[in-house]
Amino acid sequence: MKFLLIMHNNPQIWDALTEQERNEVMSGHGAFIETIKKSGEMIGTTALADPSQSAVVRVRGGVPAVTDGPYLEAKEFLGGYYLVDCASRERALELAALIPDARVEGLGIEVRPVVFAGTAED
């Protein structure tokens, strides 16, 4: 079964961490990636830039309108994800608990089953 392990980020919580705590979280991702590569459960991962670097495109009356910034004003935003293929929901929850962000007070990992995925080759 495929699952998306979604990392939400809250800049206020992240900024309140010490530099050492932030470094531990960041370096912990390397160990997590090695774990899921070794187990054969990793499909892919993506880390996203800060929402201040995003743009939103809306088409109204056939005309695209582009605005800078995130889609919604929010305290939390999508920071990145891991796409994994594992035997069960329980295993996906176990993997989510290994992601270093899950240990940060105020943060968590959303685990969501994938119901469809396609590639350019499909």
Side-chain angles (χ1 to χ4, degrees):
M1 300 177 68
K2 292 180 182 159
F3 291 88
L4 203 58
L5 309 180
I6 305 166
M7 295 168 286
H8 296 279
N9 196 348
N10 181 322
Q12 289 180 327
I13 291 172
W14 186 253
D15 292 343
L17 298 176
T18 67
E19 184 176 351
Q20 180 179 345
E21 290 170 326
R22 287 192 296 268
N23 288 338
E24 287 174 5
V25 169
M26 299 308 290
S27 65
H29 282 277
F32 178 73
I33 289 170
E34 285 306 311
T35 296
I36 60 177
K37 279 183 176 179
K38 186 181 269 190
S39 69
E41 294 169 306
M42 181 172 176
I43 296 173
T45 186
T46 300
L48 301 174
D50 187 84
S52 65
Q53 298 180 41
S54 67
V56 177
V57 178
R58 294 177 175 89
V59 178
R60 301 295 182 265
V63 179
V66 180
T67 56
D68 290 333
Y71 179 72
L72 297 173
E73 292 296 322
K75 291 181 183 178
E76 294 182 342
F77 59 89
L78 177 61
Y81 64 85
Y82 290 97
L83 180 59
V84 297
D85 191 351
C86 52
S88 65
R89 179 178 186 270
E90 290 72 25
R91 177 60 179 158
L93 296 172
E94 289 174 10
L95 293 175
L98 296 176
I99 297 174
D101 306 56
R103 294 186 286 266
V104 176
E105 186 69 35
L107 299 182
I109 307 301
E110 180 181 349
V111 177
R112 191 178 305 177
V114 174
V115 295
F116 172 81
T119 65
E121 290 80 34
D122 291 343

